[in-house]
Amino acid sequence: IIREIAVGRSLDSIDFAQLAKEVEPSIDTRQAKRSVELLIELGFLLLDDSGVIRYADPVINSADQLSVTAIKQYHAKMIELGKESIERFPSEKREISTVTARISETGFERIKTRIQEFRRELLQIIHDDESVDRVVQINMQMFPVSQFRENRHD
């Protein structure tokens, strides 16, 4: 979240207290400052010649750049924030829907592929968007909610 909010700001004049308040839910000033420093240190953000914070790369490819543990922690935190958003935001400020369905392994794989394709489409929309005014979290999840069983036709 900090990575997205900090881009375009000058490191020399950044107001970390304000930056912390822009995070939803808010964090403290120390966390905001440390997050920016860490993102620069890890190479996810960089400073241009005038000291303005820029993306090192607009898209983070988690498989290449982060540990499995870090990815799992990130996903768990974003799912938790999604859960909390149900109470924090009115329905017109969020989009949450669910489907619970019986499905085969083939259907599961087809849906998984479509989710991956949709994610790529979302990234293109994000890349093409020139008048940004907010940072959002988009979670897509599909997971079993029952035990697997053999298909029986008796």
Side-chain angles (χ1 to χ4, degrees):
I1 297 168
I2 290 289
R3 178 179 177 268
E4 301 302 321
I5 295 173
V7 166
R9 299 182 189 206
S10 171
L11 185 61
D12 293 336
S13 62
I14 196 166
D15 180 347
F16 288 104
Q18 178 59 38
L19 184 71
K21 289 178 188 170
E22 290 178 38
V23 176
E24 182 64 51
S26 64
I27 58 175
D28 66 45
T29 303
R30 182 185 51 77
Q31 289 172 308
K33 186 175 190 305
R34 180 62 189 132
S35 294
V36 170
E37 292 169 347
L38 184 61
L39 288 163
I40 292 169
E41 180 182 320
L42 294 173
F44 293 114
L45 292 175
L46 54 82
L47 300 176
D48 68 13
D49 293 338
S50 60
V52 174
I53 299 169
R54 302 285 181 210
Y55 293 121
D57 190 329
V59 177
I60 295 175
N61 184 346
S62 60
D64 296 337
Q65 297 172 314
L66 301 171
S67 73
V68 172
T69 301
I71 294 168
K72 286 180 180 179
Q73 289 173 342
Y74 173 77
H75 287 166
K77 183 61 178 176
M78 293 304 106
I79 290 167
E80 181 183 323
L81 288 175
K83 177 182 167 190
E84 292 170 5
S85 76
I86 294 169
E87 296 300 326
R88 277 202 331 260
F89 301 104
S91 60
E92 60 272 7
K93 296 286 184 185
R94 58 177 168 75
E95 176 58 39
I96 297 176
S97 60
T98 64
V99 175
T100 305
R102 294 169 46 116
I103 194 164
S104 68
E105 181 64 26
T106 301
F108 179 87
E109 290 302 324
R110 287 181 63 205
I111 292 171
K112 189 174 175 180
T113 298
R114 288 290 295 130
I115 290 171
Q116 292 165 350
E117 290 169 356
F118 179 60
R119 181 179 169 274
R120 285 189 289 274
E121 289 175 31
L122 290 176
L123 289 172
Q124 187 61 52
I125 292 168
I126 292 163
H127 178 267
D128 294 344
D129 193 3
E130 295 180 8
S131 25
V132 299
D133 60 1
R134 70 197 75 190
V135 175
V136 299
Q137 179 64 34
I138 303 166
N139 296 339
M140 291 177 276
Q141 303 165 218
M142 179 174 63
F143 51 88
V145 292
S146 72
Q147 297 294 317
F148 294 101
R149 67 177 192 200
E150 296 296 320
N151 283 337
R152 297 189 183 155
H153 301 287
D154 1 314

